[in-house]
Amino acid sequence: MSWDAKAAQREPAPQDAAQEALAGRPSPQGVGGPLPPPAPGAMSYTYTTDLAAIRAAVYRQAREAGLPEPRAIDLVLAVSEVAANTIRHANSAGSLKIWYDTEEIVCQIEDDGLISDPLAGRRRPSLDAMGGHGLWIVHQVCDQVDMHSDETGTTIRLHMKLPGRRTG
C-alpha cells in the first residue's frame, strides 16, 4: 500500500453540522438517531484486540468495491480509529459490518460503549488535547459519518462514495 499526501487532503468538515447539532436540529450526517439495519449480505467480523485482520478485510473489500488505493487507505485508517476506540473505551468486543453497492461502500462498527458527546469528532481538537483526534480524523476522511449512541451501545457508520459516482 502506498500513501499519496495530495490525494489524502480533504476539505474540513462543515461547521454547520456542529452548529445544527448544538441548536438541536438534525444534521445531515446523522447525529444520534437510530440507524437502519445494514444491507443484506453484509460481511461481518468480530474483534477484541487484534486490528490487523480488520484492517486487511476493510482494505480488501474497499478495493473490491472499486475505491482507489488512496481512498481505500483512508477507509482503513477511519475504521481502525473507531475500532481502536472500542478496544480502549468499551468493555466489549467490537463488531464490523461492510457492504457496498454501485454508489458507496459502508463500514459499520458497533460496541457496548457509550459516547456521551453528540458532537464527538465534529469539533477540531486542540493540538494539546489528550483525546478526540481519532474521531475528528474519521470525519475528515469519510464522505459521511453516522453515529448513534445510547445506554445499549454505539454504532458508527462510515460512508465513502465510489469513483465515477455523483456526489449530490
Side-chain angles (χ1 to χ4, degrees):
M1 289 192 253
S2 66
W3 186 74
D4 179 357
K6 188 170 186 150
Q9 292 177 354
R10 305 286 179 255
E11 290 296 315
Q15 291 301 312
D16 293 346
Q19 291 167 346
E20 287 178 7
L22 285 171
R25 293 187 304 268
S27 163
Q29 292 184 324
V31 173
L35 302 175
M43 303 293 294
S44 186
Y45 305 91
T46 301
Y47 61 93
T48 53
T49 57
D50 182 17
L51 297 180
I54 294 299
R55 291 182 189 115
V58 170
Y59 181 77
R60 186 174 50 252
Q61 291 292 310
R63 295 295 285 154
E64 183 179 298
L67 273 181
E69 185 171 9
R71 291 294 282 157
I73 292 169
D74 285 347
L75 186 58
V76 169
L77 169 70
V79 169
S80 186
E81 287 293 337
V82 175
N85 283 344
T86 296
I87 293 169
R88 184 172 181 188
H89 300 292
N91 293 321
S92 67
S95 168
L96 168 67
K97 292 183 175 45
I98 306 171
W99 66 93
Y100 59 90
D101 58 23
T102 60
E103 300 292 319
E104 68 179 354
I105 183 167
V106 180
C107 294
Q108 177 174 294
I109 302 98
E110 295 178 280
D111 62 43
D112 289 344
L114 174 66
I115 298 175
S116 59
D117 180 1
L119 297 178
R122 294 174 185 267
R123 292 178 302 241
R124 180 182 220 150
S126 66
L127 292 176
D128 59 346
M130 295 302 291
H133 298 281
L135 281 178
W136 185 78
I137 290 170
V138 167
H139 279 268
Q140 301 311 299
V141 301
C142 292
D143 294 320
Q144 179 178 333
V145 178
D146 302 318
M147 181 176 74
H148 175 70
S149 189
D150 61 21
E151 63 281 345
T152 64
T154 295
T155 302
I156 298 178
R157 198 172 277 182
L158 312 175
H159 302 255
M160 282 200 174
K161 298 284 183 200
L162 296 176
R165 309 308 190 248
R166 293 184 308 172
T167 57

